[in-house]
PDB file of all heavy atoms in Angstrom:
ATOM      1  N   GLU A  11       7.392  -0.995 -13.021  1.00  0.00           N
ATOM      2  CA  GLU A  11       6.873  -2.315 -13.247  1.00  0.00           C
ATOM      3  C   GLU A  11       5.332  -2.310 -13.288  1.00  0.00           C
ATOM      4  O   GLU A  11       4.698  -1.737 -12.291  1.00  0.00           O
ATOM      5  CB  GLU A  11       7.290  -3.410 -12.246  1.00  0.00           C
ATOM      6  CG  GLU A  11       6.761  -4.791 -12.565  1.00  0.00           C
ATOM      7  CD  GLU A  11       7.390  -5.900 -11.665  1.00  0.00           C
ATOM      8  OE1 GLU A  11       7.928  -5.590 -10.720  1.00  0.00           O
ATOM      9  OE2 GLU A  11       7.173  -7.066 -12.077  1.00  0.00           O
ATOM     10  N   LEU A  12       4.771  -2.769 -14.312  1.00  0.00           N
ATOM     11  CA  LEU A  12       3.258  -2.852 -14.408  1.00  0.00           C
ATOM     12  C   LEU A  12       2.747  -4.193 -14.013  1.00  0.00           C
ATOM     13  O   LEU A  12       2.930  -5.199 -14.763  1.00  0.00           O
ATOM     14  CB  LEU A  12       2.953  -2.481 -15.950  1.00  0.00           C
ATOM     15  CG  LEU A  12       3.418  -1.149 -16.484  1.00  0.00           C
ATOM     16  CD1 LEU A  12       3.067  -0.961 -17.940  1.00  0.00           C
ATOM     17  CD2 LEU A  12       2.877  -0.042 -15.673  1.00  0.00           C
ATOM     18  N   GLY A  13       1.981  -4.211 -12.931  1.00  0.00           N
ATOM     19  CA  GLY A  13       1.655  -5.440 -12.281  1.00  0.00           C
ATOM     20  C   GLY A  13       2.749  -5.992 -11.494  1.00  0.00           C
ATOM     21  O   GLY A  13       3.304  -7.053 -11.691  1.00  0.00           O
ATOM     22  N   SER A  14       3.088  -5.251 -10.364  1.00  0.00           N
ATOM     23  CA  SER A  14       4.336  -5.447  -9.721  1.00  0.00           C
ATOM     24  C   SER A  14       4.084  -6.510  -8.603  1.00  0.00           C
ATOM     25  O   SER A  14       5.093  -6.964  -7.917  1.00  0.00           O
ATOM     26  CB  SER A  14       4.775  -4.184  -9.024  1.00  0.00           C
ATOM     27  OG  SER A  14       3.742  -3.539  -8.297  1.00  0.00           O
ATOM     28  N   GLY A  15       2.865  -7.014  -8.359  1.00  0.00           N
ATOM     29  CA  GLY A  15       2.680  -7.989  -7.370  1.00  0.00           C
ATOM     30  C   GLY A  15       3.281  -7.822  -5.973  1.00  0.00           C
ATOM     31  O   GLY A  15       3.075  -6.739  -5.495  1.00  0.00           O
ATOM     32  N   SER A  16       4.028  -8.715  -5.500  1.00  0.00           N
ATOM     33  CA  SER A  16       4.552  -8.546  -4.218  1.00  0.00           C
ATOM     34  C   SER A  16       5.887  -7.763  -4.093  1.00  0.00           C
ATOM     35  O   SER A  16       6.598  -7.784  -3.123  1.00  0.00           O
ATOM     36  CB  SER A  16       4.724  -9.850  -3.451  1.00  0.00           C
ATOM     37  OG  SER A  16       5.499 -10.703  -4.226  1.00  0.00           O
ATOM     38  N   GLY A  17       6.280  -7.252  -5.299  1.00  0.00           N
ATOM     39  CA  GLY A  17       7.453  -6.330  -5.372  1.00  0.00           C
ATOM     40  C   GLY A  17       8.730  -6.958  -5.467  1.00  0.00           C
ATOM     41  O   GLY A  17       9.775  -6.298  -5.361  1.00  0.00           O
ATOM     42  N   CYS A  18       8.831  -8.300  -5.711  1.00  0.00           N
ATOM     43  CA  CYS A  18      10.146  -8.936  -5.633  1.00  0.00           C
ATOM     44  C   CYS A  18      11.078  -8.684  -6.656  1.00  0.00           C
ATOM     45  O   CYS A  18      12.299  -8.499  -6.507  1.00  0.00           O
ATOM     46  CB  CYS A  18       9.985 -10.480  -5.580  1.00  0.00           C
ATOM     47  SG  CYS A  18       8.962 -11.105  -4.101  1.00  0.00           S
ATOM     48  N   ASN A  19      10.581  -8.410  -7.877  1.00  0.00           N
ATOM     49  CA  ASN A  19      11.443  -8.076  -9.065  1.00  0.00           C
ATOM     50  C   ASN A  19      12.027  -6.687  -8.805  1.00  0.00           C
ATOM     51  O   ASN A  19      13.212  -6.422  -9.095  1.00  0.00           O
ATOM     52  CB  ASN A  19      10.622  -8.136 -10.294  1.00  0.00           C
ATOM     53  CG  ASN A  19      10.199  -9.501 -10.661  1.00  0.00           C
ATOM     54  OD1 ASN A  19      10.930 -10.474 -10.572  1.00  0.00           O
ATOM     55  ND2 ASN A  19       8.850  -9.656 -10.942  1.00  0.00           N
ATOM     56  N   LEU A  20      11.191  -5.715  -8.467  1.00  0.00           N
ATOM     57  CA  LEU A  20      11.662  -4.390  -8.158  1.00  0.00           C
ATOM     58  C   LEU A  20      12.659  -4.328  -7.089  1.00  0.00           C
ATOM     59  O   LEU A  20      13.618  -3.510  -7.127  1.00  0.00           O
ATOM     60  CB  LEU A  20      10.456  -3.421  -8.011  1.00  0.00           C
ATOM     61  CG  LEU A  20       9.636  -3.083  -9.194  1.00  0.00           C
ATOM     62  CD1 LEU A  20       8.611  -2.039  -8.913  1.00  0.00           C
ATOM     63  CD2 LEU A  20      10.549  -2.537 -10.391  1.00  0.00           C
ATOM     64  N   ALA A  21      12.363  -5.086  -6.018  1.00  0.00           N
ATOM     65  CA  ALA A  21      13.209  -4.995  -4.798  1.00  0.00           C
ATOM     66  C   ALA A  21      14.592  -5.434  -5.294  1.00  0.00           C
ATOM     67  O   ALA A  21      15.622  -4.899  -4.845  1.00  0.00           O
ATOM     68  CB  ALA A  21      12.682  -5.982  -3.758  1.00  0.00           C
ATOM     69  N   HIS A  22      14.794  -6.397  -6.151  1.00  0.00           N
ATOM     70  CA  HIS A  22      16.043  -6.835  -6.674  1.00  0.00           C
ATOM     71  C   HIS A  22      16.743  -5.723  -7.492  1.00  0.00           C
ATOM     72  O   HIS A  22      17.884  -5.398  -7.379  1.00  0.00           O
ATOM     73  CB  HIS A  22      15.888  -8.074  -7.592  1.00  0.00           C
ATOM     74  CG  HIS A  22      17.211  -8.583  -8.080  1.00  0.00           C
ATOM     75  ND1 HIS A  22      18.225  -9.038  -7.385  1.00  0.00           N
ATOM     76  CD2 HIS A  22      17.645  -8.614  -9.408  1.00  0.00           C
ATOM     77  CE1 HIS A  22      19.257  -9.305  -8.137  1.00  0.00           C
ATOM     78  NE2 HIS A  22      18.961  -9.129  -9.438  1.00  0.00           N
ATOM     79  N   LEU A  23      15.990  -5.100  -8.382  1.00  0.00           N
ATOM     80  CA  LEU A  23      16.472  -3.967  -9.124  1.00  0.00           C
ATOM     81  C   LEU A  23      16.931  -2.841  -8.305  1.00  0.00           C
ATOM     82  O   LEU A  23      17.943  -2.106  -8.641  1.00  0.00           O
ATOM     83  CB  LEU A  23      15.474  -3.525 -10.199  1.00  0.00           C
ATOM     84  CG  LEU A  23      15.117  -4.661 -11.244  1.00  0.00           C
ATOM     85  CD1 LEU A  23      14.173  -4.010 -12.327  1.00  0.00           C
ATOM     86  CD2 LEU A  23      16.362  -5.106 -12.127  1.00  0.00           C
ATOM     87  N   ALA A  24      16.230  -2.579  -7.228  1.00  0.00           N
ATOM     88  CA  ALA A  24      16.604  -1.521  -6.328  1.00  0.00           C
ATOM     89  C   ALA A  24      17.954  -1.746  -5.631  1.00  0.00           C
ATOM     90  O   ALA A  24      18.720  -0.829  -5.424  1.00  0.00           O
ATOM     91  CB  ALA A  24      15.502  -1.326  -5.223  1.00  0.00           C
ATOM     92  N   THR A  25      18.296  -3.036  -5.385  1.00  0.00           N
ATOM     93  CA  THR A  25      19.632  -3.383  -4.816  1.00  0.00           C
ATOM     94  C   THR A  25      20.709  -3.106  -5.763  1.00  0.00           C
ATOM     95  O   THR A  25      21.874  -2.906  -5.353  1.00  0.00           O
ATOM     96  CB  THR A  25      19.661  -4.810  -4.357  1.00  0.00           C
ATOM     97  OG1 THR A  25      19.702  -5.798  -5.511  1.00  0.00           O
ATOM     98  CG2 THR A  25      18.494  -5.221  -3.423  1.00  0.00           C
ATOM     99  N   LEU A  26      20.372  -2.938  -7.068  1.00  0.00           N
ATOM    100  CA  LEU A  26      21.402  -2.678  -8.109  1.00  0.00           C
ATOM    101  C   LEU A  26      21.478  -1.233  -8.439  1.00  0.00           C
ATOM    102  O   LEU A  26      22.128  -0.757  -9.363  1.00  0.00           O
ATOM    103  CB  LEU A  26      21.009  -3.522  -9.448  1.00  0.00           C
ATOM    104  CG  LEU A  26      20.864  -5.062  -9.247  1.00  0.00           C
ATOM    105  CD1 LEU A  26      20.495  -5.664 -10.564  1.00  0.00           C
ATOM    106  CD2 LEU A  26      22.195  -5.642  -8.708  1.00  0.00           C
ATOM    107  N   GLY A  27      20.730  -0.386  -7.713  1.00  0.00           N
ATOM    108  CA  GLY A  27      20.784   1.019  -7.882  1.00  0.00           C
ATOM    109  C   GLY A  27      19.734   1.674  -8.663  1.00  0.00           C
ATOM    110  O   GLY A  27      19.841   2.912  -8.880  1.00  0.00           O
ATOM    111  N   ALA A  28      18.734   0.983  -9.088  1.00  0.00           N
ATOM    112  CA  ALA A  28      17.637   1.517  -9.831  1.00  0.00           C
ATOM    113  C   ALA A  28      16.671   2.303  -8.875  1.00  0.00           C
ATOM    114  O   ALA A  28      16.562   1.914  -7.697  1.00  0.00           O
ATOM    115  CB  ALA A  28      16.929   0.451 -10.645  1.00  0.00           C
ATOM    116  N   ARG A  29      15.974   3.288  -9.374  1.00  0.00           N
ATOM    117  CA  ARG A  29      14.795   3.838  -8.616  1.00  0.00           C
ATOM    118  C   ARG A  29      13.511   3.336  -9.185  1.00  0.00           C
ATOM    119  O   ARG A  29      13.209   3.563 -10.313  1.00  0.00           O
ATOM    120  CB  ARG A  29      14.904   5.405  -8.842  1.00  0.00           C
ATOM    121  CG  ARG A  29      16.181   5.981  -8.195  1.00  0.00           C
ATOM    122  CD  ARG A  29      16.295   7.559  -8.555  1.00  0.00           C
ATOM    123  NE  ARG A  29      16.508   7.724  -9.971  1.00  0.00           N
ATOM    124  CZ  ARG A  29      16.249   8.769 -10.658  1.00  0.00           C
ATOM    125  NH1 ARG A  29      15.567   9.741 -10.065  1.00  0.00           N
ATOM    126  NH2 ARG A  29      16.554   8.827 -11.956  1.00  0.00           N
ATOM    127  N   CYS A  30      12.826   2.670  -8.305  1.00  0.00           N
ATOM    128  CA  CYS A  30      11.818   1.709  -8.829  1.00  0.00           C
ATOM    129  C   CYS A  30      10.425   2.122  -8.366  1.00  0.00           C
ATOM    130  O   CYS A  30      10.091   2.428  -7.069  1.00  0.00           O
ATOM    131  CB  CYS A  30      11.988   0.257  -8.301  1.00  0.00           C
ATOM    132  SG  CYS A  30      13.564  -0.354  -8.853  1.00  0.00           S
ATOM    133  N   THR A  31       9.399   1.960  -9.197  1.00  0.00           N
ATOM    134  CA  THR A  31       8.061   2.208  -8.918  1.00  0.00           C
ATOM    135  C   THR A  31       7.150   0.929  -9.378  1.00  0.00           C
ATOM    136  O   THR A  31       7.417   0.557 -10.560  1.00  0.00           O
ATOM    137  CB  THR A  31       7.560   3.485  -9.570  1.00  0.00           C
ATOM    138  OG1 THR A  31       8.207   4.596  -9.166  1.00  0.00           O
ATOM    139  CG2 THR A  31       5.973   3.687  -9.289  1.00  0.00           C
ATOM    140  N   GLY A  32       6.381   0.429  -8.483  1.00  0.00           N
ATOM    141  CA  GLY A  32       5.649  -0.687  -8.919  1.00  0.00           C
ATOM    142  C   GLY A  32       4.181  -0.326  -8.868  1.00  0.00           C
ATOM    143  O   GLY A  32       3.614   0.281  -7.892  1.00  0.00           O
ATOM    144  N   VAL A  33       3.274  -0.661  -9.852  1.00  0.00           N
ATOM    145  CA  VAL A  33       1.908  -0.392  -9.894  1.00  0.00           C
ATOM    146  C   VAL A  33       1.014  -1.751 -10.062  1.00  0.00           C
ATOM    147  O   VAL A  33       1.474  -2.624 -10.931  1.00  0.00           O
ATOM    148  CB  VAL A  33       1.474   0.513 -11.003  1.00  0.00           C
ATOM    149  CG1 VAL A  33       0.025   0.794 -11.117  1.00  0.00           C
ATOM    150  CG2 VAL A  33       2.307   1.806 -10.996  1.00  0.00           C
ATOM    151  N   ASP A  34       0.175  -1.921  -9.088  1.00  0.00           N
ATOM    152  CA  ASP A  34      -0.664  -3.169  -9.169  1.00  0.00           C
ATOM    153  C   ASP A  34      -2.080  -2.771  -8.776  1.00  0.00           C
ATOM    154  O   ASP A  34      -2.311  -1.857  -7.952  1.00  0.00           O
ATOM    155  CB  ASP A  34      -0.109  -4.184  -8.216  1.00  0.00           C
ATOM    156  CG  ASP A  34      -0.615  -5.596  -8.612  1.00  0.00           C
ATOM    157  OD1 ASP A  34      -1.823  -5.930  -8.364  1.00  0.00           O
ATOM    158  OD2 ASP A  34       0.226  -6.360  -9.130  1.00  0.00           O
ATOM    159  N   ILE A  35      -3.080  -3.362  -9.376  1.00  0.00           N
ATOM    160  CA  ILE A  35      -4.467  -3.031  -9.207  1.00  0.00           C
ATOM    161  C   ILE A  35      -5.027  -3.661  -7.888  1.00  0.00           C
ATOM    162  O   ILE A  35      -5.952  -3.156  -7.379  1.00  0.00           O
ATOM    163  CB  ILE A  35      -5.286  -3.464 -10.364  1.00  0.00           C
ATOM    164  CG1 ILE A  35      -6.667  -2.796 -10.406  1.00  0.00           C
ATOM    165  CG2 ILE A  35      -5.456  -5.049 -10.359  1.00  0.00           C
ATOM    166  CD1 ILE A  35      -7.492  -2.990 -11.664  1.00  0.00           C
ATOM    167  N   ALA A  36      -4.347  -4.705  -7.382  1.00  0.00           N
ATOM    168  CA  ALA A  36      -4.807  -5.317  -6.127  1.00  0.00           C
ATOM    169  C   ALA A  36      -4.263  -4.732  -4.823  1.00  0.00           C
ATOM    170  O   ALA A  36      -3.086  -4.724  -4.713  1.00  0.00           O
ATOM    171  CB  ALA A  36      -4.491  -6.873  -6.089  1.00  0.00           C
ATOM    172  N   PRO A  37      -5.091  -4.204  -3.982  1.00  0.00           N
ATOM    173  CA  PRO A  37      -4.601  -3.487  -2.845  1.00  0.00           C
ATOM    174  C   PRO A  37      -3.671  -4.340  -1.940  1.00  0.00           C
ATOM    175  O   PRO A  37      -2.672  -3.856  -1.313  1.00  0.00           O
ATOM    176  CB  PRO A  37      -5.902  -3.075  -1.986  1.00  0.00           C
ATOM    177  CG  PRO A  37      -6.881  -2.962  -3.101  1.00  0.00           C
ATOM    178  CD  PRO A  37      -6.556  -4.119  -4.075  1.00  0.00           C
ATOM    179  N   SER A  38      -4.052  -5.574  -1.833  1.00  0.00           N
ATOM    180  CA  SER A  38      -3.144  -6.518  -0.867  1.00  0.00           C
ATOM    181  C   SER A  38      -1.839  -6.630  -1.488  1.00  0.00           C
ATOM    182  O   SER A  38      -0.920  -7.036  -0.739  1.00  0.00           O
ATOM    183  CB  SER A  38      -3.925  -7.901  -0.780  1.00  0.00           C
ATOM    184  OG  SER A  38      -3.930  -8.526  -2.043  1.00  0.00           O
ATOM    185  N   ARG A  39      -1.647  -6.430  -2.811  1.00  0.00           N
ATOM    186  CA  ARG A  39      -0.239  -6.667  -3.376  1.00  0.00           C
ATOM    187  C   ARG A  39       0.646  -5.529  -2.802  1.00  0.00           C
ATOM    188  O   ARG A  39       1.779  -5.699  -2.504  1.00  0.00           O
ATOM    189  CB  ARG A  39      -0.275  -6.522  -4.851  1.00  0.00           C
ATOM    190  CG  ARG A  39      -0.968  -7.776  -5.451  1.00  0.00           C
ATOM    191  CD  ARG A  39      -0.500  -9.134  -4.961  1.00  0.00           C
ATOM    192  NE  ARG A  39      -0.087  -9.937  -6.024  1.00  0.00           N
ATOM    193  CZ  ARG A  39       0.520 -11.107  -5.887  1.00  0.00           C
ATOM    194  NH1 ARG A  39       0.753 -11.579  -4.681  1.00  0.00           N
ATOM    195  NH2 ARG A  39       0.791 -11.789  -6.869  1.00  0.00           N
ATOM    196  N   GLN A  40       0.111  -4.252  -2.795  1.00  0.00           N
ATOM    197  CA  GLN A  40       0.983  -3.170  -2.224  1.00  0.00           C
ATOM    198  C   GLN A  40       1.267  -3.478  -0.722  1.00  0.00           C
ATOM    199  O   GLN A  40       2.430  -3.152  -0.364  1.00  0.00           O
ATOM    200  CB  GLN A  40       0.215  -1.865  -2.398  1.00  0.00           C
ATOM    201  CG  GLN A  40       1.007  -0.650  -1.735  1.00  0.00           C
ATOM    202  CD  GLN A  40       0.334   0.633  -1.918  1.00  0.00           C
ATOM    203  OE1 GLN A  40      -0.692   0.790  -2.598  1.00  0.00           O
ATOM    204  NE2 GLN A  40       0.873   1.736  -1.215  1.00  0.00           N
ATOM    205  N   ALA A  41       0.248  -3.878  -0.031  1.00  0.00           N
ATOM    206  CA  ALA A  41       0.498  -4.180   1.433  1.00  0.00           C
ATOM    207  C   ALA A  41       1.616  -5.234   1.585  1.00  0.00           C
ATOM    208  O   ALA A  41       2.487  -5.155   2.379  1.00  0.00           O
ATOM    209  CB  ALA A  41      -0.818  -4.526   2.074  1.00  0.00           C
ATOM    210  N   ALA A  42       1.489  -6.351   0.737  1.00  0.00           N
ATOM    211  CA  ALA A  42       2.478  -7.426   0.934  1.00  0.00           C
ATOM    212  C   ALA A  42       3.882  -6.904   0.497  1.00  0.00           C
ATOM    213  O   ALA A  42       4.809  -7.241   1.146  1.00  0.00           O
ATOM    214  CB  ALA A  42       1.975  -8.454   0.014  1.00  0.00           C
ATOM    215  N   ALA A  43       3.954  -6.146  -0.574  1.00  0.00           N
ATOM    216  CA  ALA A  43       5.224  -5.574  -1.027  1.00  0.00           C
ATOM    217  C   ALA A  43       5.810  -4.709   0.052  1.00  0.00           C
ATOM    218  O   ALA A  43       7.038  -4.832   0.352  1.00  0.00           O
ATOM    219  CB  ALA A  43       5.113  -4.788  -2.297  1.00  0.00           C
ATOM    220  N   GLU A  44       5.086  -3.782   0.638  1.00  0.00           N
ATOM    221  CA  GLU A  44       5.684  -2.902   1.580  1.00  0.00           C
ATOM    222  C   GLU A  44       6.093  -3.615   2.899  1.00  0.00           C
ATOM    223  O   GLU A  44       7.094  -3.292   3.492  1.00  0.00           O
ATOM    224  CB  GLU A  44       4.738  -1.787   1.845  1.00  0.00           C
ATOM    225  CG  GLU A  44       4.504  -0.789   0.687  1.00  0.00           C
ATOM    226  CD  GLU A  44       3.563   0.220   0.909  1.00  0.00           C
ATOM    227  OE1 GLU A  44       2.822   0.200   1.985  1.00  0.00           O
ATOM    228  OE2 GLU A  44       3.502   1.281   0.122  1.00  0.00           O
ATOM    229  N   GLN A  45       5.255  -4.622   3.209  1.00  0.00           N
ATOM    230  CA  GLN A  45       5.606  -5.463   4.426  1.00  0.00           C
ATOM    231  C   GLN A  45       6.998  -6.080   4.251  1.00  0.00           C
ATOM    232  O   GLN A  45       7.792  -6.195   5.149  1.00  0.00           O
ATOM    233  CB  GLN A  45       4.534  -6.369   4.744  1.00  0.00           C
ATOM    234  CG  GLN A  45       4.720  -7.257   6.021  1.00  0.00           C
ATOM    235  CD  GLN A  45       3.638  -8.197   6.319  1.00  0.00           C
ATOM    236  OE1 GLN A  45       2.831  -8.512   5.404  1.00  0.00           O
ATOM    237  NE2 GLN A  45       3.623  -8.613   7.549  1.00  0.00           N
ATOM    238  N   ARG A  46       7.136  -6.680   3.070  1.00  0.00           N
ATOM    239  CA  ARG A  46       8.367  -7.409   2.829  1.00  0.00           C
ATOM    240  C   ARG A  46       9.582  -6.560   2.523  1.00  0.00           C
ATOM    241  O   ARG A  46      10.672  -6.869   2.992  1.00  0.00           O
ATOM    242  CB  ARG A  46       8.201  -8.408   1.682  1.00  0.00           C
ATOM    243  CG  ARG A  46       9.303  -9.402   1.329  1.00  0.00           C
ATOM    244  CD  ARG A  46       8.945 -10.527   0.546  1.00  0.00           C
ATOM    245  NE  ARG A  46      10.103 -11.420   0.370  1.00  0.00           N
ATOM    246  CZ  ARG A  46       9.995 -12.598  -0.266  1.00  0.00           C
ATOM    247  NH1 ARG A  46       8.834 -12.966  -0.723  1.00  0.00           N
ATOM    248  NH2 ARG A  46      11.088 -13.389  -0.442  1.00  0.00           N
ATOM    249  N   TRP A  47       9.324  -5.606   1.712  1.00  0.00           N
ATOM    250  CA  TRP A  47      10.572  -4.789   1.182  1.00  0.00           C
ATOM    251  C   TRP A  47      10.574  -3.352   1.712  1.00  0.00           C
ATOM    252  O   TRP A  47      11.542  -2.675   1.596  1.00  0.00           O
ATOM    253  CB  TRP A  47      10.501  -4.719  -0.405  1.00  0.00           C
ATOM    254  CG  TRP A  47      10.397  -6.051  -0.924  1.00  0.00           C
ATOM    255  CD1 TRP A  47       9.317  -6.633  -1.552  1.00  0.00           C
ATOM    256  CD2 TRP A  47      11.363  -7.098  -0.933  1.00  0.00           C
ATOM    257  NE1 TRP A  47       9.616  -7.840  -2.027  1.00  0.00           N
ATOM    258  CE2 TRP A  47      10.845  -8.145  -1.634  1.00  0.00           C
ATOM    259  CE3 TRP A  47      12.630  -7.171  -0.362  1.00  0.00           C
ATOM    260  CZ2 TRP A  47      11.618  -9.364  -1.873  1.00  0.00           C
ATOM    261  CZ3 TRP A  47      13.445  -8.342  -0.567  1.00  0.00           C
ATOM    262  CH2 TRP A  47      12.866  -9.422  -1.297  1.00  0.00           C
ATOM    263  N   GLY A  48       9.598  -2.882   2.469  1.00  0.00           N
ATOM    264  CA  GLY A  48       9.586  -1.507   2.997  1.00  0.00           C
ATOM    265  C   GLY A  48       9.206  -0.578   1.811  1.00  0.00           C
ATOM    266  O   GLY A  48       8.773  -0.886   0.756  1.00  0.00           O
ATOM    267  N   ARG A  49       9.319   0.725   2.159  1.00  0.00           N
ATOM    268  CA  ARG A  49       9.010   1.826   1.258  1.00  0.00           C
ATOM    269  C   ARG A  49      10.008   2.908   1.402  1.00  0.00           C
ATOM    270  O   ARG A  49      10.422   3.352   2.540  1.00  0.00           O
ATOM    271  CB  ARG A  49       7.627   2.444   1.523  1.00  0.00           C
ATOM    272  CG  ARG A  49       7.103   3.329   0.533  1.00  0.00           C
ATOM    273  CD  ARG A  49       5.692   3.898   0.912  1.00  0.00           C
ATOM    274  NE  ARG A  49       5.282   4.816   0.008  1.00  0.00           N
ATOM    275  CZ  ARG A  49       4.323   4.458  -0.874  1.00  0.00           C
ATOM    276  NH1 ARG A  49       3.881   3.282  -1.091  1.00  0.00           N
ATOM    277  NH2 ARG A  49       3.870   5.410  -1.801  1.00  0.00           N
ATOM    278  N   SER A  50      10.605   3.290   0.255  1.00  0.00           N
ATOM    279  CA  SER A  50      11.656   4.408   0.328  1.00  0.00           C
ATOM    280  C   SER A  50      11.659   5.176  -1.010  1.00  0.00           C
ATOM    281  O   SER A  50      10.958   4.810  -1.931  1.00  0.00           O
ATOM    282  CB  SER A  50      13.029   3.628   0.417  1.00  0.00           C
ATOM    283  OG  SER A  50      13.377   2.999  -0.741  1.00  0.00           O
ATOM    284  N   PRO A  51      12.423   6.201  -1.155  1.00  0.00           N
ATOM    285  CA  PRO A  51      12.501   6.909  -2.417  1.00  0.00           C
ATOM    286  C   PRO A  51      12.930   6.075  -3.542  1.00  0.00           C
ATOM    287  O   PRO A  51      12.626   6.308  -4.724  1.00  0.00           O
ATOM    288  CB  PRO A  51      13.503   8.109  -2.082  1.00  0.00           C
ATOM    289  CG  PRO A  51      13.449   8.280  -0.662  1.00  0.00           C
ATOM    290  CD  PRO A  51      13.174   6.864  -0.141  1.00  0.00           C
ATOM    291  N   GLU A  52      13.715   4.982  -3.248  1.00  0.00           N
ATOM    292  CA  GLU A  52      14.230   4.084  -4.336  1.00  0.00           C
ATOM    293  C   GLU A  52      13.166   2.956  -4.620  1.00  0.00           C
ATOM    294  O   GLU A  52      13.405   2.233  -5.600  1.00  0.00           O
ATOM    295  CB  GLU A  52      15.484   3.514  -3.935  1.00  0.00           C
ATOM    296  CG  GLU A  52      16.626   4.554  -3.957  1.00  0.00           C
ATOM    297  CD  GLU A  52      16.648   5.524  -2.716  1.00  0.00           C
ATOM    298  OE1 GLU A  52      16.128   4.889  -1.607  1.00  0.00           O
ATOM    299  OE2 GLU A  52      16.922   6.639  -2.771  1.00  0.00           O
ATOM    300  N   LEU A  53      12.171   2.741  -3.830  1.00  0.00           N
ATOM    301  CA  LEU A  53      11.317   1.592  -3.962  1.00  0.00           C
ATOM    302  C   LEU A  53       9.889   2.007  -3.495  1.00  0.00           C
ATOM    303  O   LEU A  53       9.653   2.039  -2.294  1.00  0.00           O
ATOM    304  CB  LEU A  53      11.858   0.420  -3.137  1.00  0.00           C
ATOM    305  CG  LEU A  53      11.125  -0.907  -3.379  1.00  0.00           C
ATOM    306  CD1 LEU A  53      11.103  -1.324  -4.919  1.00  0.00           C
ATOM    307  CD2 LEU A  53      11.709  -1.974  -2.495  1.00  0.00           C
ATOM    308  N   GLU A  54       9.012   2.233  -4.420  1.00  0.00           N
ATOM    309  CA  GLU A  54       7.655   2.754  -4.147  1.00  0.00           C
ATOM    310  C   GLU A  54       6.694   1.809  -4.802  1.00  0.00           C
ATOM    311  O   GLU A  54       6.825   1.427  -5.963  1.00  0.00           O
ATOM    312  CB  GLU A  54       7.456   4.084  -4.701  1.00  0.00           C
ATOM    313  CG  GLU A  54       6.176   4.704  -4.545  1.00  0.00           C
ATOM    314  CD  GLU A  54       5.933   6.110  -5.222  1.00  0.00           C
ATOM    315  OE1 GLU A  54       6.692   6.392  -6.155  1.00  0.00           O
ATOM    316  OE2 GLU A  54       5.106   6.868  -4.776  1.00  0.00           O
ATOM    317  N   PHE A  55       5.587   1.558  -4.111  1.00  0.00           N
ATOM    318  CA  PHE A  55       4.491   0.694  -4.562  1.00  0.00           C
ATOM    319  C   PHE A  55       3.147   1.449  -4.557  1.00  0.00           C
ATOM    320  O   PHE A  55       2.921   2.143  -3.553  1.00  0.00           O
ATOM    321  CB  PHE A  55       4.445  -0.589  -3.774  1.00  0.00           C
ATOM    322  CG  PHE A  55       5.697  -1.427  -3.719  1.00  0.00           C
ATOM    323  CD1 PHE A  55       6.445  -1.413  -2.672  1.00  0.00           C
ATOM    324  CD2 PHE A  55       6.067  -2.116  -4.872  1.00  0.00           C
ATOM    325  CE1 PHE A  55       7.685  -2.168  -2.638  1.00  0.00           C
ATOM    326  CE2 PHE A  55       7.177  -2.923  -4.886  1.00  0.00           C
ATOM    327  CZ  PHE A  55       7.922  -2.916  -3.802  1.00  0.00           C
ATOM    328  N   ILE A  56       2.388   1.318  -5.728  1.00  0.00           N
ATOM    329  CA  ILE A  56       1.083   2.096  -5.818  1.00  0.00           C
ATOM    330  C   ILE A  56       0.036   1.087  -6.189  1.00  0.00           C
ATOM    331  O   ILE A  56       0.283   0.239  -6.992  1.00  0.00           O
ATOM    332  CB  ILE A  56       1.352   3.099  -6.961  1.00  0.00           C
ATOM    333  CG1 ILE A  56       2.439   4.185  -6.519  1.00  0.00           C
ATOM    334  CG2 ILE A  56      -0.021   3.863  -7.190  1.00  0.00           C
ATOM    335  CD1 ILE A  56       2.817   5.084  -7.677  1.00  0.00           C
ATOM    336  N   THR A  57      -1.077   1.303  -5.556  1.00  0.00           N
ATOM    337  CA  THR A  57      -2.322   0.594  -5.928  1.00  0.00           C
ATOM    338  C   THR A  57      -3.103   1.384  -6.979  1.00  0.00           C
ATOM    339  O   THR A  57      -3.769   2.537  -6.570  1.00  0.00           O
ATOM    340  CB  THR A  57      -3.169   0.209  -4.710  1.00  0.00           C
ATOM    341  OG1 THR A  57      -2.414  -0.575  -3.749  1.00  0.00           O
ATOM    342  CG2 THR A  57      -4.442  -0.523  -5.109  1.00  0.00           C
ATOM    343  N   GLN A  58      -3.218   0.981  -8.145  1.00  0.00           N
ATOM    344  CA  GLN A  58      -4.006   1.708  -9.189  1.00  0.00           C
ATOM    345  C   GLN A  58      -4.048   0.864 -10.483  1.00  0.00           C
ATOM    346  O   GLN A  58      -3.024   0.018 -10.699  1.00  0.00           O
ATOM    347  CB  GLN A  58      -3.225   3.110  -9.503  1.00  0.00           C
ATOM    348  CG  GLN A  58      -4.103   3.948 -10.292  1.00  0.00           C
ATOM    349  CD  GLN A  58      -3.487   5.394 -10.441  1.00  0.00           C
ATOM    350  OE1 GLN A  58      -2.261   5.618 -10.097  1.00  0.00           O
ATOM    351  NE2 GLN A  58      -4.218   6.388 -10.830  1.00  0.00           N
TER     352      GLN A  58
END
């Protein structure tokens, strides 16, 4: 996902078995996403 924000869309796709990567330019978005959804091989958030 390009512009993944707080990760809600990818978190849903991860529950369906997808391996998800989210990229967002705002550092606080990655922090918010990881705080809410965690971080795992199936769900990764990147600030870039």
